[in-house]
Amino acid sequence: MEEQDQMQSSIEVEELEEQQQREGKRLEEENVVRFLDSLDSYVTLLDSLSSTLRQGWLELASARQSMGASRINGALLDLKFHSAATSLQVTHHDDEILNQPHFTLCKWASSKNGYGDEKLRENKLQTNSDGPQLRHRSQFAGTPEKIPETKGAPLIVDDQVQKERTKSLSMFGTLVSPKLRAAQLSFETALETLVEIANVRLTMLSTSDQVRKELEGTEG
Amino acid sequence: MYGFEALTFNVHAGYLEAIVRGHRAGLLTAADYNNLCQCETLDDIKMHLSATEYGPYLQNEPSPLHTTTIVEKCTLKLVEDYKHMLCQATEPLSTFLEYITYGHMIDNVVLIVTGTLHERDVQELLEKCHPLGMFDSIATLAVAQNMRELYRLVLVDTPLAPYFSECITSEDLDDMNIEIMRNTLYKAYLEDFYRFCQKLGGATAEIMSDLLSFEADRRAVNISINSIGTELTRDDRKKLYSNFGLLHPYGHEELAVCEDIDQVRGVMEKYPPYQSIFSKLSYGESQMLDKAFYEEEVKRLCLAFEQQFHYGVFFAYMRLREQEIRNLMWISECVAQNQKSRVHDSVVFIF
C-alpha cells in the first residue's frame, strides 16, 4: 500500500514537472513569436515611412510647381514664437509583461481651444484604423483594443482639425493648392508612422532581451 | 487699323520681333527633354544643358548642384533676354514689355511683406525675389505695418500704385489680408493690361485678348478650387475674379458658389474651350488640372507665333520660357528625389 502511494505521488510529481516544463516552453515560444511579430511590424512600418516620405516630398515639389517658387520656399517659414500644434506624450504601460514607456502623438492640440484630449482620442482612432495591418501569428497576442465609437463629437473634432491644418499652412498663403494640402497630409501620416515605429521598436527590444535571457538560461 | 500693321510695324519693332523669333528657336526640343528625362543626377542635367542656350549660365556652377541653382541660373537667361529687348524697345512696346513683369512685381511685394510678418531677415527675402519683379525701393517694404503705409511709403512710386486703390485699408497685415491683397492686385493688373492691349488695337489686341482671357479664367478656377474649405466667403471669392474673360459674368456667378471640385468641373464643362481640359481629369481629381491648363496655355502661346506684326510674340516668348524653366525645375526635382517614373506628370512639351 505504501509502495503504491509512493508510486502515485512520484507519478504526480513527474506529471507536475512535465506540466511546468511544457508551460515554460510555451512561454519561451510565446516570447519568440512576439519578438518575430514586432520585428515584422518594424520592417513593415519602416517601408511604409519611406514611401510616405517620398510621396510627401514629391507632392511638395508639385505644389511648388503649381504655386510658384516665390510662394513655397524656406524663407516664408514663421520664426515668431508660437505653441506647438503637435506634441508627443510619453506614458508608462501598466502591462505586466512589457513594462516600458509608450509614445502617443497629440496632433493639432492647442492649449487655447482645449481640444487636446479629443485630439488624442481622435489620433488613437486614426492610428488604429489607418495604420498598416500588423500580422499577429501568436494566439496569445491578445485581441486588438476596441474603442467605442462616438457619434457627433468626431464631426466637431474633424472641423477643428481641418482649421488647425489650414492655420499651419497659412504661412504659404490662405489660398493654397490642393497639392500642398496633400503634401501636408503625407507628412502628417509620416509623423504618425514614426511614433508607431518608436513604440514597436521598444516592444521589439524588450522581447529580444527576454528571448536572449531565456536562451542564456537554457544554455546555462 | 487691323490689317495694316505690315506697313509700319517693322519701322519700330521689326528688329525686336526678329530677335524674339530667334530666341524662340532656342527653346528646348522634344529630343532635349528626352535626354534630360533620362539623366541620373543633377550633374548629368547640367551636362545636357551645356549644349543648349543655358550652357553659359551653368558652366561655372560647382558640384554638388541643387535644383534651385539650376532654376536660378536658367532664369538669368530669361532676364538677360528681357532686358536686352526692353532697352531696345520704343513706345508703346516698352510699356507692353514692362506690363509683362508686373505679375512678378506683385509676387515679390507679397513675398517681402509675408516674410517680414514671419520675422524673416529682409536680405534673405530679397534673395528669393524674382529678378524680373525687382524695383528700387523694394527693401523698404519691410517697415510697413498695414496696407496704407505700404502704399504711402513704397508703392506710390511704383507701377503698382494704380492697382492699390481697391485694397487700401488701415487693417494690420495678416495672412488672410495679404492673400486678398495679392489677388486683388493681380486682378487689377490683368484688367489694366487687358485695357492697354485693347487700346493698342489690331492683331496685338486680338491675340492678347485671347491670352489674357485664358489667364483670367484660369485664375478664377484656381481661386475657386483653392478657396474650397477656407474662410473666404462667396462674396469675397467673387470679388477676386477679373471683369473679363470667357467666364465673366455668368461663369463667375456659378464658380463663386462651388463647394467642391466636381461642382467646378460642372461649371467649366459648359464652356467648349474648357471641356477638353476637364475631360482629361477623372471625377474628384484635381492633381492633373495644372498640367492640363499649362498644356492649353502653351498651345495658345505657340499659335501667337503664327502671325506677324504684333506684340503678342513677346508675351508668348516670355511665358514659354517660364514654362520651360518650370519643366526644368520638375525634371531636376524628380532626378534629385530618385523618382524618374513621375517625371512626365508635370512636363509640358513646347512645340
Side-chain angles (χ1 to χ4, degrees):
Chain A
M1 230 5 221
E2 279 183 12
E3 282 179 5
Q4 275 181 355
D5 285 342
Q6 275 178 0
M7 271 180 69
Q8 187 71 22
S9 62
S10 67
I11 288 169
E12 280 172 6
V13 165
E14 275 176 18
E15 275 178 8
L16 194 61
E17 279 176 7
E18 266 179 34
Q19 205 176 344
Q20 280 174 350
Q21 270 178 7
R22 274 200 300 268
E23 187 64 23
K25 208 165 171 68
R26 189 185 67 82
L27 283 172
E28 277 176 24
E29 283 172 3
E30 186 186 324
N31 283 333
V32 169
V33 167
R34 206 192 297 264
F35 169 70
L36 290 174
D37 270 345
S38 56
L39 184 62
D40 181 52
S41 308
Y42 183 71
V43 170
T44 306
L45 286 171
L46 278 179
D47 187 55
S48 167
L49 176 70
S50 171
S51 65
T52 308
L53 282 174
R54 272 168 68 83
Q55 188 183 328
W57 284 118
L58 195 72
E59 280 163 350
L60 186 63
S62 185
R64 200 176 147 95
Q65 170 95 340
S66 167
M67 292 169 63
S70 66
R71 290 197 64 184
I72 300 190
N73 63 73
L76 288 172
L77 297 176
D78 198 344
L79 290 183
K80 282 192 296 200
F81 178 78
H82 54 275
S83 56
T86 296
S87 57
L88 190 66
Q89 286 192 348
V90 183
T91 49
H92 280 274
H93 244 297
D94 289 335
D95 196 329
E96 290 171 357
I97 301 167
L98 305 166
N99 185 16
Q100 64 191 25
H102 183 78
F103 301 110
T104 312
L105 198 64
C106 194
K107 276 195 321 180
W108 307 120
S110 169
S111 56
K112 287 178 190 174
N113 58 30
Y115 274 97
D117 291 339
E118 276 76 7
K119 293 299 161 300
L120 181 58
R121 185 166 182 185
E122 194 236 350
N123 180 52
K124 279 186 176 171
L125 278 169
Q126 262 195 337
T127 311
N128 282 332
S129 61
D130 296 342
Q133 294 299 314
L134 307 179
R135 289 185 290 148
H136 292 284
R137 295 190 188 84
S138 166
Q139 59 183 324
F140 305 110
T143 54
E145 186 185 341
K146 284 182 185 173
I147 298 173
E149 286 178 7
T150 57
K151 292 172 187 174
L155 284 173
I156 301 168
V157 168
D158 281 344
D159 211 30
Q160 196 60 32
V161 164
Q162 201 47 47
K163 277 187 188 157
E164 292 287 332
R165 284 195 179 117
T166 307
K167 190 178 154 193
S168 76
L169 275 186
S170 63
M171 69 181 86
F172 300 117
T174 45
L175 301 182
V176 296
S177 163
K179 291 174 183 176
L180 191 63
R181 295 185 206 279
Q184 183 185 41
L185 282 175
S186 292
F187 288 124
E188 204 179 303
T189 307
L191 192 57
E192 288 165 11
T193 310
L194 269 173
V195 172
E196 263 190 80
I197 286 173
N199 285 327
V200 166
R201 186 180 163 85
L202 281 174
T203 308
M204 190 177 71
L205 291 173
S206 167
T207 50
S208 160
D209 280 340
Q210 281 176 358
V211 167
R212 199 179 315 114
K213 279 178 193 162
E214 279 158 11
L215 281 174
E216 283 166 2
T218 312
E219 283 165 11
Chain B
M1 190 189 295
Y2 187 27
F4 292 92
E5 294 94 355
L7 294 177
T8 55
F9 187 87
N10 281 345
V11 173
H12 296 289
Y15 166 68
L16 284 176
E17 185 178 350
I19 290 286
V20 84
R21 286 182 183 272
H23 285 321
R24 168 224 182 186
L27 290 168
L28 296 179
T29 61
D32 291 321
Y33 283 116
N34 280 337
N35 289 336
L36 288 167
C37 291
Q38 286 169 25
C39 290
E40 292 289 330
T41 63
L42 295 181
D43 285 320
D44 288 345
I45 289 179
K46 176 183 159 185
M47 190 187 70
H48 282 289
L49 288 178
S50 64
T52 68
E53 292 188 359
Y54 295 114
Y57 300 88
L58 282 168
Q59 65 187 10
N60 294 326
E61 288 307 307
S63 297
L65 272 180
H66 198 270
T67 54
T68 48
T69 311
I70 293 177
V71 171
E72 213 176 279
K73 296 304 168 192
C74 293
T75 306
L76 284 182
K77 150 86 180 143
L78 171 66
V79 172
E80 229 176 77
D81 288 349
Y82 172 80
K83 284 185 173 165
H84 171 74
M85 291 192 293
L86 184 66
C87 72
Q88 301 281 337
T90 57
E91 286 294 340
L93 177 57
S94 53
T95 302
F96 182 91
L97 289 173
E98 283 169 359
Y99 264 106
I100 296 175
T101 63
Y102 292 171
H104 293 297
M105 224 179 262
I106 293 170
D107 287 340
N108 287 350
V109 166
V110 174
L111 173 66
I112 300 279
V113 169
T114 307
T116 307
L117 192 70
H118 296 161
E119 296 184 4
R120 304 302 298 237
D121 180 49
V122 174
Q123 269 315 118
E124 191 186 2
L125 295 169
L126 287 173
E127 283 166 17
K128 298 285 182 185
C129 287
H130 197 288
L132 282 179
M134 296 300 277
F135 52 94
D136 291 334
S137 51
I138 190 169
T140 327
L141 286 167
V143 303
Q145 298 294 320
N146 55 51
M147 286 183 230
R148 203 174 290 278
E149 279 183 15
L150 206 63
Y151 175 76
R152 192 174 56 83
L153 294 175
V154 186
L155 298 173
V156 66
D157 295 322
T158 66
L160 301 182
Y163 309 145
F164 253 78
S165 59
E166 291 184 38
C167 54
I168 295 182
T169 66
S170 296
E171 281 181 39
D172 277 353
L173 293 163
D174 64 20
D175 290 323
M176 180 54 97
N177 289 342
I178 290 173
E179 189 70 46
I180 290 179
M181 178 182 80
R182 180 210 306 273
N183 285 286
T184 308
L185 284 177
Y186 208 89
K187 171 191 167 182
Y189 150 63
L190 268 187
E191 287 171 1
D192 189 35
F193 196 6
Y194 184 81
R195 278 192 298 269
F196 176 76
C197 293
Q198 293 296 306
K199 248 192 293 187
L200 290 175
T204 301
E206 186 189 342
I207 290 166
M208 286 304 297
S209 289
D210 177 59
L211 294 173
L212 291 177
S213 295
F214 180 79
E215 178 69 19
D217 292 341
R218 180 173 57 176
R219 269 195 73 251
V221 171
N222 284 335
I223 287 170
S224 308
I225 291 174
N226 293 348
S227 59
I228 290 169
T230 67
E231 290 171 356
L232 195 71
T233 62
R234 288 174 181 183
D235 285 336
D236 283 342
R237 190 197 284 188
K238 206 166 139 199
K239 281 182 200 164
L240 301 180
Y241 299 147
S242 300
N243 294 330
F244 67 100
L246 192 60
L247 297 177
H248 174 72
Y250 305 111
H252 289 165
E253 295 282 346
E254 292 182 63
L255 279 177
V257 300
C258 288
E259 297 291 337
D260 59 46
I261 305 279
D262 290 331
Q263 287 179 17
V264 171
R265 184 198 191 100
V267 170
M268 298 303 287
E269 282 180 339
K270 292 178 194 168
Y271 296 86
Y274 301 122
Q275 265 175 2
S276 59
I277 293 175
F278 282 83
S279 64
K280 294 178 192 173
L281 311 174
S282 45
Y283 279 92
E285 182 231 336
S286 66
Q287 300 291 327
M288 303 305 285
L289 183 61
D290 284 325
K291 184 178 178 186
F293 267 121
Y294 283 137
E295 281 172 346
E296 179 66 22
E297 185 190 22
V298 162
K299 220 187 300 178
R300 293 175 187 228
L301 293 170
C302 293
L303 280 176
F305 285 93
E306 299 301 314
Q307 204 170 331
Q308 270 189 283
F309 313 126
H310 64 90
Y311 294 161
V313 288
F314 299 99
F315 180 83
Y317 170 69
M318 296 293 289
R319 283 298 172 95
L320 286 173
R321 269 287 180 209
E322 283 170 5
Q323 180 60 50
E324 190 172 86
I325 292 171
R326 270 196 295 274
N327 286 344
L328 289 173
M329 180 170 77
W330 179 254
I331 293 171
S332 304
E333 283 287 348
C334 289
V335 166
Q337 293 184 28
N338 200 19
Q339 301 225 43
K340 277 168 35 183
S341 58
R342 304 288 297 272
V343 79
H344 292 288
D345 283 5
S346 288
V347 170
V348 177
F349 294 101
I350 301 167
F351 296 118

